[in-house]
Amino acid sequence: MDTANGNIGGTANIAATGSVNFQGPKLDFFSLVANGALTTSANVNGYINNVLQAIQTKGTVAMYQVSPAAPTVLNLAIYPTGAYTAATLLTTANTSATVASGGQNLELTSAAGNAVFTTAASNFAPV
């Protein structure tokens, strides 16, 4: 933690001293749902890459994860905040990313601001 006047004392009022935790930019969290599984290698290297590149025309994907519990769900953390709404994110991702991959013609069918990440290191990919 950092404050304008050095370390926070054990008895300090944190709200009054305005502490800041420097861990990166504030993020918006979204989930996108596809009409097919995103877990095949062709989808990871093709379709998901296209989705991420499309999104990054307006914002930066800080991290993403295909949900281990639901392989049709792509969770995203994006900055700057406010770059996308769920509706504009869905439109942007679908405009540039729709490709046939893994024998499927994938398309994103919905988006919401409710991403949930699994914390196991092998299940998410920082960008």
Side-chain angles (χ1 to χ4, degrees):
M1 297 292 211
D2 189 26
T3 63
N5 61 352
N7 293 334
I8 300 170
T11 59
N13 179 340
I14 293 175
T17 59
S19 58
V20 177
N21 190 354
F22 292 102
Q23 301 242 349
K26 182 178 177 186
L27 302 170
D28 282 341
F29 295 90
F30 294 98
S31 63
L32 296 167
V33 179
N35 64 348
L38 299 169
T39 52
T40 69
S41 62
N43 293 341
V44 170
N45 295 320
Y47 185 76
I48 292 176
N49 182 58
N50 290 349
V51 168
L52 298 177
Q53 293 304 315
I55 291 167
Q56 292 191 125
T57 60
K58 186 176 176 184
T60 300
V61 176
M63 62 181 168
Y64 70 94
Q65 176 186 49
V66 174
S67 174
T72 60
V73 177
L74 177 63
N75 293 305
L76 303 161
I78 301 171
Y79 66 92
T81 58
Y84 286 104
T85 64
T88 59
L89 179 65
L90 182 62
T91 300
T92 300
N94 271 330
T95 299
S96 299
T98 302
V99 296
S101 63
Q104 303 174 66
N105 190 9
L106 293 173
E107 182 179 6
L108 300 168
T109 58
S110 66
N114 63 350
V116 177
F117 289 86
T118 302
T119 57
S122 62
N123 289 332
F124 76 94
V127 177

